[in-house]
Amino acid sequence: HRPIRRRQVMATKLLAGLVVLIVSLALPLLVYFLWALSGVHATPFEFWMMEDTFRLGLAGVVGYLGAFLTGIRTARVYVSRLWPLVPAGLIFLAQLDSWPSVGWCLSLLGIVLYLPSIFFAAEHRDYA
């Protein structure tokens, strides 16, 4: 008997990875934000100037979820196993576009689609 269910194991792994990713992205951003607001440098700074960074960070979360799904999928051919990375890469490229609202929507859609896919693959994989 397992002490916890497979879904809980996958949720814990996902949560731990996302916490590490978000902290590693947020710490340098917070240091830069505090430095910019301190007035040491004589350039204008507004909060909206960091929007691109937040959008790329959200795309990083989508990339992590795509890599996680790639890691737990079972496939004998590596190309078919790497398919989950294709939408994550396209979403990352959409973040570089000049339409920020499209990038936000695609990132949120990617997160909403990747999470059930990860749990479905985790439930149906044979770990024997």
Side-chain angles (χ1 to χ4, degrees):
H1 295 280
R2 294 186 191 121
I4 60 176
R5 290 179 293 168
R6 189 177 294 171
R7 181 176 286 270
Q8 292 171 328
V9 171
M10 287 299 152
T12 304
K13 287 182 178 190
L14 269 174
L15 185 64
L18 285 173
V19 166
V20 168
L21 176 68
I22 290 171
V23 167
S24 66
L25 290 174
L27 229 89
L29 190 61
L30 180 67
V31 168
Y32 173 70
F33 180 67
L34 293 174
W35 173 78
L37 288 180
S38 68
V40 173
H41 202 265
T43 55
F45 177 77
E46 297 292 331
F47 191 70
W48 63 265
M49 294 176 180
M50 296 172 58
E51 180 186 1
D52 291 339
T53 306
F54 286 123
R55 283 191 298 128
L56 288 172
L58 193 59
V61 169
V62 174
Y64 169 73
L65 292 175
F68 194 92
L69 183 57
T70 299
I72 65 171
R73 284 188 72 212
T74 56
R76 295 197 185 268
V77 181
Y78 287 109
V79 175
S80 66
R81 188 174 183 180
L82 296 175
W83 272 113
L85 291 177
V86 173
L90 293 176
I91 287 172
F92 183 77
L93 289 177
Q95 301 299 332
L96 303 176
D97 198 7
S98 60
W99 298 322
S101 59
V102 172
W104 284 108
C105 291
L106 284 177
S107 291
L108 293 176
L109 179 68
I111 290 170
V112 166
L113 293 177
Y114 271 127
L115 285 175
S117 300
I118 287 170
F119 287 113
F120 179 80
E123 288 291 324
H124 292 87
R125 180 179 172 188
D126 184 21
Y127 288 97

